Amino acid sequence: MRSLFVELLRANKPLVVHNGLIDMVFLYQCFYAHLPDRLGTFIADLSQMFPLGIYDTKYATEYELRFTASYLEYAYKKCKLDNSKAIAGGGNGSRVFLEFCKYTGSMQSYIDYRLCLDNQNQDGALNICVQFSAYGWCPNGSQCSMSHDTDLIIQHDEKIREDKRKKRKRKNKKKGSQGPSEACSSPQGKRSHFEETELDQAVPISEPALPEPQEKTASSEPTDATHPEASSEAPVRPKEKKAEGGTHRAGFDAFMTGYIFAYARNLTENTEESSTAPLIPACLNKLFLSGKSVPLHVAKSTFSKSSKAHVHKMDYVWGKSTAVKPEGTA
């Protein structure tokens, strides 16, 4: 594994991760060198290990794509959905297309095929788990009675988004018909208008206000167990196996991370044709920090020096002496 990691460094390619700060710390400690005592030293080493940049798709999803949620499975399926809509809609612009290798013979035994269920026609068969919908994990795990189906979660979020768009459209239309003075002098009439709108939309749940998951209630399409009319029609119903999300496997996680990066890269305008130009300039060397509004910038500070172990490793990787100065030298 150490030799493989060295070959990755020698390839001199950008590094793409998803919420990968802890992963990079683990890789550094286990397959590269002893972890430095100071964060500044660690950041300086990373900036030289990957000179073409580090891209965190968690940061790209959160701050560039602006999705409702940013955990890996949600971000991948949302990118895939938006890309499919763009392809179906036609028009100008590039799209993301996939071409898989055709493995034959003994290679097939190394391929893990996963069944992807089509949940587009499931009309809210299960309530959505609030915790899983917001963060991609649930303390109850598979014992949770709510749905962890990411497809249903995205459908629910898309419906809320469309409802908000229609509400804004009606609001602007009414402002235009009443005029600015009348709209300002009759807030009660505007309030009653919104109340009628909410009744027309028939959404029996409150709209989500991330990142406060406690305000995001169950799905807008309740189950038979919670809807009194539906339960009267079908009091006894066989319990179906609900689709579960949040299954992590290294290969599939890497694929989803790559797809998100390709989608975000596709939305970035190409201003430079150089091979060393940033692929996504707004996300270059920015690692997502949980609970923080700003990322961790992977850039060597003028007050930090590289570690001695890193300098020696760079000598081994490139086969020559590097120009970096180790920590603790003049």
Side-chain angles (χ1 to χ4, degrees):
M1 289 299 297
R2 288 180 176 270
S3 299
L4 177 60
F5 191 79
V6 168
E7 291 303 320
L8 292 177
L9 297 178
R10 286 174 177 168
N12 197 24
K13 299 293 183 180
L15 177 65
V16 181
V17 297
H18 185 87
N19 198 17
L21 177 59
I22 301 301
D23 296 328
M24 297 176 66
V25 171
F26 175 81
L27 290 174
Y28 188 104
Q29 172 69 24
C30 295
F31 305 118
Y32 187 69
H34 183 70
L35 198 64
D37 296 331
R38 299 179 180 179
L39 176 62
T41 304
F42 174 67
I43 295 301
D45 292 353
L46 284 181
S47 65
Q48 293 170 346
M49 292 166 62
F50 302 98
L52 292 186
I54 300 174
Y55 298 89
D56 192 341
T57 54
K58 174 83 170 179
Y59 175 83
T61 303
E62 192 87 20
Y63 294 99
E64 295 300 320
L65 301 179
R66 300 284 183 175
F67 288 165
T68 304
S70 59
Y71 54 92
L72 184 58
E73 187 176 358
Y74 183 101
Y76 161 70
K77 291 188 175 181
K78 184 66 169 63
C79 289
K80 190 171 181 293
L81 176 63
D82 291 350
N83 186 67
S84 300
K85 289 181 178 179
I87 294 175
N92 299 327
S94 58
R95 307 289 184 258
V96 178
F97 294 91
L98 298 177
E99 182 178 354
F100 294 95
C101 298
K102 296 181 180 180
Y103 298 99
T104 58
S106 60
M107 289 295 296
Q108 288 185 342
S109 61
Y110 296 95
I111 308 302
D112 182 19
Y113 293 97
R114 301 186 63 187
L115 181 62
C116 297
L117 301 176
D118 183 11
N119 298 312
Q120 299 299 322
N121 296 324
Q122 294 185 10
D123 298 330
L126 294 168
N127 279 339
I128 293 175
C129 175
V130 177
Q131 182 76 19
F132 190 90
S133 174
Y135 299 107
W137 68 275
C138 174
N140 297 324
S142 60
Q143 303 299 322
C144 181
S145 59
M146 301 295 184
S147 174
H148 293 176
D149 186 355
T150 313
D151 293 315
L152 291 179
I153 293 173
I154 293 177
Q155 289 179 38
H156 174 248
D157 291 342
E158 290 292 302
K159 185 179 186 304
I160 290 180
R161 181 181 178 183
E162 181 65 17
D163 291 343
K164 288 183 177 180
R165 187 190 68 81
K166 291 180 180 179
K167 183 184 292 186
R168 287 195 300 267
K169 186 177 180 179
R170 282 191 289 265
K171 177 181 177 181
N172 295 334
K173 184 177 180 180
K174 184 174 181 180
K175 281 184 176 180
S177 61
Q178 291 181 347
S181 59
E182 184 178 353
C184 295
S185 60
S186 58
Q188 190 64 32
K190 184 185 296 185
R191 179 183 179 87
S192 61
H193 168 73
F194 285 127
E195 291 176 352
E196 293 175 359
T197 301
E198 292 176 357
L199 292 176
D200 294 339
Q201 292 175 352
V203 180
I205 66 168
S206 59
E207 296 174 355
L210 296 179
E212 297 178 3
Q214 63 272 17
E215 295 182 6
K216 184 174 181 180
T217 61
S219 169
S220 60
E221 300 168 344
T223 63
D224 295 341
T226 59
H227 199 296
E229 297 179 359
S231 60
S232 62
E233 296 176 1
V236 179
R237 184 176 180 178
K239 186 176 182 180
E240 299 178 357
K241 183 179 180 181
K242 61 189 179 72
E244 288 292 338
T247 302
H248 288 280
R249 294 191 180 183
F252 196 61
D253 285 3
F255 168 77
M256 291 191 291
T257 301
Y259 190 95
I260 298 169
F261 178 79
Y263 179 81
R265 172 68 180 88
N266 191 56
L267 299 180
T268 304
E269 296 182 0
N270 294 326
T271 57
E272 299 182 38
E273 298 296 335
S274 173
S275 59
T276 59
L279 299 176
I280 309 179
C283 301
L284 177 64
N285 290 330
K286 295 179 181 179
L287 294 177
F288 179 83
L289 294 176
S290 179
K292 302 295 182 180
S293 59
V294 294
L296 175 64
H297 290 266
V298 182
K300 185 178 180 180
S301 170
T302 55
F303 302 100
S304 300
K305 297 180 180 180
S306 301
S307 63
K308 293 181 179 180
H310 166 71
V311 173
H312 296 325
K313 185 66 70 171
M314 284 287 99
D315 290 343
Y316 172 73
V317 170
W318 301 111
K320 59 182 180 179
S321 178
T322 59
V324 298
K325 292 183 178 180
E327 183 182 19
T329 60

